[in-house]
Amino acid sequence: MCGIVGYFGPLEAKKVILEGLRKLEYRGYDSAGVSILDGPHFKRVRAEGKLKYLESRLAEENFSGHLGIGHTRWATHGAPSERNAHPHEVRGVSLVHNGIIENYLEIREALIEQGAELTSDTDSELVAHLIADEVEREKDLLAAVIKVLPRLRGAFSILVVWERQPDRLIAFKDGPPLIVGLCEGQALVVSDVQAGLAYTKRFVYLGDREIAEVLRGPVRFFSAEGKPIEKTITEVKWSSEAAEKQGFSHYMLKEIYEQPKAVSQALSPHLHIEKSEISMDWGQQDWDLTKVQRILMVACGTSYYAALTGKYYIEKLARIPVDVDLASEFRYREPVLSPTDLVVTISQSGETADTLAALRLAKQQHVKVLSLCNVKGSTIDRSADGHFYMNAGPEIGVASTKAFTCTLSVLVCFSAHLAKERGRLPKYLENEIVRALTELPGQLELVLSFDKYFSEAAIELKNHRGFLFMGRGVNYPMALEGALKLKELAYLHAEGYAAGEMKHGPLALIDRHMAIVMLAPADEWYEKTISNLEEAKARGGQIISIGTVGDEKLRQLSQRFLAIPRAHWAVNPILSVVPLQLMAFHLADSLGHDVDQPRNLAKSVTVE
Ligand code: AGP
């Protein structure tokens, strides 16, 4: 996903913008560029590849200025190259863009017809041409942007500057996030608060089809039609250093090790230890969820696996039917919804396009939507009717870790709360769950202390041709998540399966070249899982098992036995996913992969 940083103020714009772009590197990109107003004109430098190439190109140049825009590009239209990198400049207008202009072909043909000289293959450059044409007529950048917007279709955010009005940045958002940082005497526009935290903690999240005219200090907000609008200011609690690596080799490793603290943070609004109670608050006091007949959980990737786990939690504890959908499927399968449904979206970034589209579809059908996000103020968070949060703190590594375990922890509370509301959670069971969740952060610390065993197991994985992750019941989604971590980090093909499914096909895959990662903690599914493990072992499968400490039988059956503390069935997945995260991390790192920014991936997929 592209990254945008714009600055205007007393500091050297080049420096502020590069710092900000570095904070956005985790989003994934293939080229970058900056434009700085140096005297009457913009000076632009762009480079393919990582920021270090842009920085070395900038070091050869000798220009400076206090107004500028910068961009990290994740190619959609036009291959990754310097000519397609942003900013795009046309007759004194300089623009950066995130998203997709769907009607770019007709715009491109019209511009060529009019004799425009196009210098790239991108849709973004076309917008710069349209604005340059309009600003020559309007003599005002804001007016020109308002005139051009109705001609654009798609999901896009743009930041544009004009050398003849060198005191402002104009930002427009419709889809990908764009946020204004409020700081005295300075102007800041960023794609993610991380890029602005060094200068302010006060931000305004632009809503869809909203414009900001950002001057040095004052900011004016408008609708796409130019009508002034009021916006609320969000105070971001995260500190700038919270988003740093703090001595860890990678953001991902830091975030894995932050899980005990993050989970404790996630639980604290819902866990009342002194009263041994669980409660939830999603900001809608008038909601009576006892009327809900069905819950539909919708998400993507790792968040989808969290939703699958939530299904087990909610159906076992609250006895409410739960359907779980991939957002990219839900949005196009014409789901049959009813007013007694509740849709729950799960999204760490709160910007995933498919999940946002699913949310909008549900709302169009007048179904209540409850959002579970990590980023407060994100588009999904602001678009939902009710909200609760992962409270994981900033998650920079593309591979989601602490947000996942925080989501699972909050889903346990959510399920217990739903059960309580329906009189289905006897006090002894509530006490049991409160105790299990209270012990969870300490148990996570204990699991993390076994890291060297996970690292050894990981390196051994390299010797195998295939990887099957398996589990039953609430451990099955962890098998899917473990396989995804290996795919997205080590670039190795792995599959997650319900262990009971083996005899329906996967058993044919198993021989001594196949690594089997079996999730078999002490729980109600244990015996059946052991049978599946023995089936795999009998065919030569190399068994790495994750089970409850002291389980000698499992240890004997495994080439590698990785122990987690004895815990409540609902907590086992939260503990057993940590060895899977660390195995994938160590294997990927040993292969020399860019663990924080795996190839082809972005932290938040804000385009289809
Ligand atoms: C998980 O490690 C990946 N980063 C990816 O599958 C991610 O979970 C998915 O894109 C959903 O992102 P979201 O939670 O921000 O919506």
Side-chain angles (χ1 to χ4, degrees):
M1 189 177 69
C2 303
I4 289 175
V5 178
Y7 178 77
F8 176 36
L11 304 176
E12 176 56 61
K14 193 166 38 178
K15 181 174 172 304
V16 174
I17 290 169
L18 277 174
E19 255 175 37
L21 292 180
R22 268 190 226 99
K23 297 282 195 306
L24 300 181
E25 283 196 281
Y26 70 87
R27 301 155 73 90
Y29 67 104
D30 43 52
S31 56
V34 295
S35 264
I36 305 293
L37 188 64
D38 177 23
H41 301 298
F42 283 105
K43 295 283 174 46
R44 177 181 65 173
V45 176
R46 300 177 294 174
E48 189 179 342
K50 294 296 184 191
L51 277 180
K52 61 185 178 189
Y53 300 110
L54 176 66
E55 286 165 337
S56 52
R57 294 285 301 280
L58 277 168
E60 297 156 15
E61 304 280 338
N62 176 23
F63 61 77
S64 68
H66 300 287
L67 171 76
I69 56 177
H71 187 264
T72 49
R73 179 174 183 251
W74 196 54
T76 51
H77 292 101
S81 63
E82 181 176 336
R83 68 191 293 270
N84 287 331
H86 304 201
H88 289 285
E89 276 180 19
V90 179
R91 301 195 303 278
V93 168
S94 188
L95 170 139
V96 291
H97 160 236
N98 183 6
I100 287 181
I101 308 293
E102 290 180 355
N103 59 328
Y104 79 100
L105 278 177
E106 65 188 72
I107 295 171
R108 186 179 177 83
E109 280 154 22
L111 284 168
I112 292 170
E113 191 78 17
Q114 293 154 21
E117 284 173 31
L118 303 183
T119 58
S120 79
D121 311 319
T122 68
D123 51 354
S124 317
E125 182 199 356
L126 308 179
V127 184
H129 277 279
L130 295 176
I131 293 173
D133 293 347
E134 278 304 337
V135 82
E136 279 159 13
R137 283 188 278 273
E138 297 291 332
K139 305 294 180 227
D140 176 74
L141 188 56
L142 173 61
V145 169
I146 291 168
K147 271 287 185 65
V148 165
L149 290 177
R151 298 160 62 181
L152 307 175
R153 275 202 324 277
F156 56 92
S157 294
I158 58 172
L159 181 62
V160 59
V161 285
W162 182 36
E163 62 187 20
R164 302 224 323 253
Q165 277 182 316
D167 60 349
R168 68 196 64 194
L169 303 131
I170 303 291
F172 169 77
K173 179 220 188 274
D174 187 4
L178 209 49
I179 306 155
V180 178
L182 302 180
C183 26
E184 217 29 60
Q186 303 185 89
L188 207 59
V189 179
V190 293
S191 300
D192 181 323
V193 296
Q194 318 282 355
L197 276 175
Y199 301 92
T200 181
K201 290 191 190 308
R202 301 170 67 240
F203 294 89
V204 172
Y205 287 78
L206 281 181
D208 282 343
R209 303 201 59 69
E210 291 182 353
I211 300 172
E213 182 184 52
V214 188
L215 304 160
R216 268 178 75 160
V219 186
R220 296 193 301 165
F221 298 97
F222 304 88
S223 69
E225 295 69 35
K227 190 162 122 336
I229 56 175
E230 291 299 315
K231 294 290 289 174
T232 53
I233 297 173
T234 300
E235 189 84 24
V236 171
K237 298 279 182 284
W238 297 342
S239 64
S240 181
E241 58 278 352
E244 296 302 328
K245 291 182 196 167
Q246 289 170 358
F248 284 90
S249 60
H250 296 80
Y251 284 113
M252 182 185 173
L253 194 58
K254 168 180 166 256
E255 288 148 13
I256 290 173
Y257 273 80
E258 277 177 341
Q259 289 181 113
K261 179 165 67 70
V263 161
S264 176
Q265 239 167 235
L267 290 168
S268 61
H270 315 301
L271 207 49
H272 311 292
I273 299 171
E274 64 298 333
K275 291 185 285 183
S276 187
E277 276 183 7
I278 288 172
S279 69
M280 297 291 295
D281 171 17
W282 33 73
Q284 294 290 339
Q285 307 318 337
D286 60 343
W287 276 15
D288 175 4
L289 294 192
T290 57
K291 301 274 189 301
V292 167
Q293 302 299 311
R294 175 177 68 150
I295 292 175
L296 295 99
M297 304 178 87
V298 188
C300 301
T302 289
S303 294
Y304 170 71
Y305 301 145
L308 282 177
T309 313
K311 173 185 175 74
Y312 286 92
Y313 291 156
I314 294 169
E315 291 197 346
K316 280 177 82 67
L317 293 174
R319 309 306 296 157
I320 302 170
V322 177
D323 288 338
V324 182
D325 267 282
L326 286 167
S328 54
E329 288 299 311
F330 182 85
R331 64 183 292 190
Y332 293 118
R333 69 174 178 80
E334 296 170 30
V336 177
L337 304 179
S338 100
T340 57
D341 287 342
L342 172 69
V343 167
V344 177
T345 58
I346 299 179
S347 174
Q348 186 286 130
S349 62
E351 301 298 346
T352 299
D354 286 323
T355 310
L356 179 59
L359 176 150
R360 287 176 170 157
L361 174 64
K363 292 194 70 171
Q364 278 159 11
Q365 300 196 27
H366 312 296
V367 173
K368 282 193 177 63
V369 179
L370 185 53
S371 151
L372 173 48
C373 270
N374 192 34
V375 182
K376 286 186 179 154
S378 58
T379 306
I380 289 174
D381 179 31
R382 285 178 292 109
S383 307
D385 304 302
H387 326 263
F388 53 133
Y389 298 99
M390 298 166 191
N391 284 322
E395 184 176 78
I396 309 296
V398 166
S400 188
T401 51
K402 64 175 182 173
F404 181 63
T405 46
C406 287
T407 300
L408 297 184
S409 307
V410 172
L411 286 175
V412 174
C413 297
F414 179 53
S415 313
H417 179 91
L418 290 173
K420 258 176 91 173
E421 280 195 328
R422 292 160 186 250
R424 291 183 181 142
L425 189 74
K427 188 58 189 163
Y428 82 89
L429 196 45
E430 184 172 18
N431 294 342
E432 199 179 279
I433 294 173
V434 168
R435 189 171 53 250
L437 293 175
T438 306
E439 291 168 0
L440 175 55
Q443 291 176 322
L444 283 167
E445 289 290 2
L446 188 58
V447 173
L448 289 166
S449 70
F450 302 151
D451 188 6
K452 68 176 183 323
Y453 302 116
F454 308 147
S455 172
E456 288 163 10
I459 306 309
E460 261 181 28
L461 277 176
K462 265 197 265 195
N463 311 324
H464 294 88
R465 163 177 56 78
F467 309 88
L468 264 180
F469 290 72
M470 289 194 267
R472 277 182 178 257
V474 76
N475 307 300
Y476 163 45
M478 294 317 109
L480 296 171
E481 169 62 5
L484 176 64
K485 284 289 163 291
L486 205 63
K487 283 183 269 201
E488 65 178 332
L489 293 163
Y491 314 153
L492 293 170
H493 182 253
E495 281 198 83
Y497 254 95
E501 196 51 18
M502 284 237 299
K503 50 195 171 301
H504 302 290
L507 214 49
L509 281 173
I510 294 177
D511 58 25
R512 60 187 175 76
H513 303 296
M514 182 66 82
I516 311 290
V517 181
M518 190 66 86
L519 294 146
D523 59 18
E524 63 183 280
W525 298 281
Y526 176 77
E527 291 306 332
K528 295 286 183 198
T529 307
I530 291 295
S531 311
N532 298 137
L533 188 151
E534 285 168 331
E535 284 163 14
K537 186 173 178 64
R539 288 155 180 82
Q542 305 297 295
I543 309 295
I544 296 175
S545 61
I546 293 168
T548 303
V549 62
D551 187 339
E552 275 317 303
K553 179 178 178 185
L554 186 56
R555 180 193 297 278
Q556 296 306 323
L557 286 168
S558 312
Q559 272 72 15
R560 280 260 172 196
F561 169 66
L562 305 175
I564 61 173
R566 180 168 300 280
H568 189 275
W569 67 267
V571 163
N572 278 332
I574 304 169
L575 294 171
S576 57
V577 77
V578 175
L580 303 179
Q581 294 167 347
L582 284 167
M583 285 202 290
F585 168 83
H586 289 303
L587 182 48
D589 193 34
S590 73
L591 294 170
H593 293 173
D594 185 345
V595 172
D596 282 333
Q597 299 162 38
R599 68 184 182 189
N600 309 335
L601 300 181
K603 181 61 183 172
S604 168
V605 185
T606 60
V607 291
E608 271 204 76

